[in-house]
Amino acid sequence: MTTTILTYSKGGSYRYVLPYSHVFSSWPISKSRKKAESIALGLTVGSWTDLPHLEKNYCLNIEEKSFLLKNLIRKQRTKASIKIAYPLLNFSPDIPAILTTVFGKLSLDGKIRLLDLEFPNDLKKHFSGPQFGLENIRQKLNVHDRPLLMAIFKGVIGRDLTFLSNQLRNLALGGVDIVKDDEILFENSFTPFEQRITVMKRTLQEAYEQTGHRTLYSVNISGKTNEVIERARLASDLGADIILLNAFSYGIDLVQTLREDPFVRVPIMVHPAVSGAMTSSNEYGISPSLLLGKLLRIAGADFVLFASPYGSVAMDRSDALKLHQELIGEDPYFKKCFSVPSAGIHPGLTEKIMNDFGKDSIINAGGGVFGHPEGPTKGVIAFRQAIDNVSFGRSLFHPSKHQNELKVALQTWQ
Ligand code: 1AE
């Protein structure tokens, strides 16, 4: 492995190393050094050809690493990891400008993938990060020593508020911490947005008075952009617990817009729908840890859902762990964001999830709760029993005689 650092600093008084973007390309190493230079030039000076009359008053830093890969026919091939630094003055301090600068036209240029961005403090100070963050959410729920449990409404499209409210009550009585709308439940005449919030709040208050356990409800605000902002404000006015946004149908900047809106005082939960189109290839797009991790936390998400490594739409385990670290790692500028590995989760996966993601995560299930043969209340109880067993070092797979709900769940999804 070789590492080469090229430094260009022709004139100008720009600050030297700011923010880094790491891109990964499959050009042969002999070409990649040249390519790295042309990328850095193209994305700062902004042209594919020499501009003799233009003063190139930028500074940049290219770090090139090569490593060998063997393809299927066992020929050696070379890939390169390139690190480029851009002066802060090149862009306004916002996510659209940064992404366009470091990976705008470049994203159209064949096999190239954006791996990471390093934000210096001078840039971080322009972002707010989560408004509430993990600790505030824990305080609202008064749950501090275990992962949270979240359930997803399933099969509610075309159902009315009474149906939804009954489902919510059933979940709350089982001891669930959060219930979220499915990402595919939009504004509709059966469960209109405003009434959905007020009826769900009332239902949860009644359940709390009965059990003493607090449950929060996350309402989907996704729809047209201008309506999303209005709905977020309305949700905040109505005292909604959490708003859910399918952020990748729009762009991450909308998360920041909501976070910075003075009339939106409610935690933001981000669903990963559509993000797979940008993150799934190893040769194109953006790494999940950057797109769903670092950028969403900087933009102000309080919760981020992503595909766990073991469920129905799995993410590579090392990618998922990196993403999780981006959300919960210490950062003097930003609060921690709840990490929500999801999709195809059932009680039998609880130990894996807790071993990989620790207590600062949320165990999130739709089918794994509603598919319990004895109904959703028992589905929630089964998960709570699984979480307790793992938390207290007991065996997940040998439930006690008082844990029949867990036993049934383990038999159902073995
Ligand atoms: C990656 C997001 C998972 C999600 O939105 C969802 O609805 C999961 O449902 P289940 O738990 O797979 O039934």
Side-chain angles (χ1 to χ4, degrees), residues 152 154 180 182-183 271-272 305-307 312 342-345 364-368:
I152 311 159
K154 289 287 167 183
K180 68 173 271 290
D182 209 354
E183 78 280 8
H271 191 279
L305 278 70
F306 56 94
S312 54
S342 306
I345 303 299
N364 177 33

Side-chain angles (χ1 to χ4, degrees), residues 274-296:
V274 183
S275 67
M278 285 175 266
T279 58
S280 299
S281 164
N282 283 329
E283 294 183 309
Y284 300 92
I286 302 179
S287 70
S289 59
L290 174 59
L291 192 69
L292 290 113
K294 189 176 283 184
L295 290 179
L296 279 178

Side-chain angles (χ1 to χ4, degrees), residues 151-407:
I152 311 159
F153 278 133
K154 289 287 167 183
V156 295
I157 295 175
R159 303 299 197 127
D160 63 10
L161 282 167
T162 308
F163 180 88
L164 212 64
S165 160
N166 285 337
Q167 294 285 42
L168 187 64
R169 182 176 301 101
N170 289 336
L171 295 165
L173 294 180
V176 76
D177 301 305
I178 303 174
V179 179
K180 68 173 271 290
D181 277 344
D182 209 354
E183 78 280 8
I184 51 173
L185 183 71
F186 300 103
E187 178 57 314
N188 68 94
S189 57
F190 296 97
T191 52
F193 184 74
E194 192 168 340
Q195 288 180 43
R196 207 175 337 144
I197 294 173
T198 44
V199 172
M200 299 297 119
K201 261 181 83 78
R202 196 169 58 226
T203 305
L204 288 179
Q205 183 58 29
E206 287 164 6
Y208 173 68
E209 284 160 17
Q210 197 176 328
T211 64
H213 180 81
R214 184 70 73 193
T215 301
L216 306 177
Y217 167 57
S218 175
V219 64
N220 191 2
I221 61 169
S222 305
K224 289 168 72 178
T225 305
N226 58 347
E227 292 172 3
V228 160
I229 295 168
E230 284 310 308
R231 268 200 283 275
R233 291 175 178 171
L234 178 59
S236 188
D237 284 351
L238 293 170
D241 297 318
I242 303 167
I243 51 177
L244 173 73
L245 181 71
N246 300 339
F248 296 97
S249 306
Y250 311 85
I252 291 179
D253 185 59
L254 184 54
V255 176
Q256 193 176 346
T257 298
L258 296 173
R259 163 64 179 93
E260 291 176 355
D261 190 309
F263 303 106
V264 178
R265 294 277 163 255
V266 57
I268 302 170
M269 179 180 284
V270 172
H271 191 279
V274 183
S275 67
M278 285 175 266
T279 58
S280 299
S281 164
N282 283 329
E283 294 183 309
Y284 300 92
I286 302 179
S287 70
S289 59
L290 174 59
L291 192 69
L292 290 113
K294 189 176 283 184
L295 290 179
L296 279 178
R297 181 173 176 189
I298 283 174
D302 296 281
F303 306 81
V304 174
L305 278 70
F306 56 94
S308 81
Y310 5 78
S312 54
V313 284
M315 180 184 289
D316 175 79
R317 182 165 172 273
S318 66
D319 281 341
L321 295 180
K322 253 191 254 169
L323 197 174
H324 172 74
Q325 270 316 311
E326 290 291 354
L327 298 174
I328 64 141
E330 293 296 339
D331 188 311
Y333 282 80
F334 306 123
K335 291 183 178 141
K336 292 182 184 182
C337 172
F338 256 120
S339 161
V340 194
S342 306
I345 303 299
H346 57 77
L349 293 171
T350 306
E351 192 166 3
K352 273 190 177 153
I353 299 175
M354 288 175 67
N355 285 344
D356 277 347
F357 298 99
K359 79 175 171 73
D360 286 336
S361 60
I362 299 184
I363 295 178
N364 177 33
V369 166
F370 284 95
H372 192 286
E374 296 172 4
T377 307
K378 299 280 175 86
V380 168
I381 293 172
F383 266 111
R384 288 292 307 272
Q385 291 168 344
I387 293 170
D388 281 351
N389 282 3
V390 179
S391 299
F392 295 114
R394 300 191 294 253
S395 166
L396 169 65
F397 295 100
H398 297 94
S400 76
K401 61 179 184 208
H402 307 294
Q403 295 183 324
N404 194 50
E405 295 84 356
L406 177 56
K407 195 169 150 198

